[in-house]
Amino acid sequence: MNQQAPRPQAPAPIPAASTPAEARKLAEYLLEAMNTLLGVIERETELVRAGKVREAMMLETHKSELSRRYVGAVAHLKASQKYLTQNAPELLTSLHRHHDTFRAMLQVNLTVLATAHAVSEGIVRGVNTEIQRRNIPNTYTAAGQRAQPGRVNLTPLAVSRSL
């Protein structure tokens, strides 16, 4: 008998802000979500720059939870965009400015993570090249040219991705 996993329910529609108090509350919630997430991201950036990747990885679950909160707040903001544009444009402008700063800090974090990834990949490739060089026989063809190794001579490198 085949049992199918229950389908996840569609998320409930997010109610739009319809009063100045709701708009202010939404803005405060979004700012708090961005600031908290930004704090974790800045900490992760510091740790990766310092070479403490294990410690940075421990922030992943907290960062994911905060990211979900942030995405929910942005969805609520999108649902309230019309009201905010008409009744609280200065609040919307302030949120846009804060979000631009937030985006710039995210870009710094992504750059640091990409650099760490590139460096670690370079190290693994270097180790692999050295292992292959040592495993390949040093032979020459009848014409005196260095012989190209066959697939039989190449040894795969296995790397555990867990720290």
Side-chain angles (χ1 to χ4, degrees):
M1 201 184 292
N2 288 340
Q3 287 189 347
Q4 293 180 348
R7 290 185 181 178
Q9 294 179 353
I14 298 171
S18 58
T19 65
E22 288 177 354
R24 196 170 37 259
K25 186 176 178 182
L26 170 60
E28 289 171 1
Y29 182 76
L30 181 60
L31 288 173
E32 192 268 331
M34 279 194 285
N35 289 334
T36 307
L37 181 57
L38 194 55
V40 172
I41 287 171
E42 287 174 342
R43 179 70 180 139
E44 178 186 52
T45 302
E46 291 170 8
L47 290 170
V48 170
R49 281 184 174 160
K52 299 177 180 179
V53 178
R54 277 190 191 174
E55 289 180 43
M57 288 176 63
M58 296 176 109
L59 297 173
E60 188 63 31
T61 55
H62 188 55
K63 188 170 96 170
S64 294
E65 175 189 321
L66 292 172
S67 295
R68 277 190 293 278
R69 237 173 85 199
Y70 165 74
V71 169
V74 168
H76 198 122
L77 179 73
K78 284 182 181 181
S80 304
Q81 179 108 20
K82 184 177 179 182
Y83 176 82
L84 292 172
T85 302
Q86 293 173 352
N87 300 309
E90 69 287 338
L91 182 62
L92 198 54
T93 302
S94 174
L95 286 172
H96 278 292
R97 268 185 278 137
H98 194 76
H99 192 264
D100 289 341
T101 304
F102 178 73
R103 192 174 335 151
M105 294 304 295
L106 282 178
Q107 189 60 47
V108 169
N109 178 262
L110 290 174
T111 302
V112 168
L113 293 176
T115 302
H117 182 268
V119 167
S120 63
E121 184 175 328
I123 290 169
V124 170
R125 287 186 188 276
V127 168
N128 184 45
T129 301
E130 185 63 25
I131 288 173
Q132 298 305 329
R133 189 181 64 75
R134 289 183 182 183
N135 288 337
I136 296 173
N138 198 8
T139 58
Y140 296 89
T141 64
Q145 299 294 319
R146 187 171 188 151
Q148 293 296 322
R151 298 182 97 189
V152 174
N153 301 106
L154 299 177
T155 307
L157 175 67
V159 177
S160 172
R161 298 189 106 191
S162 64
L163 293 177

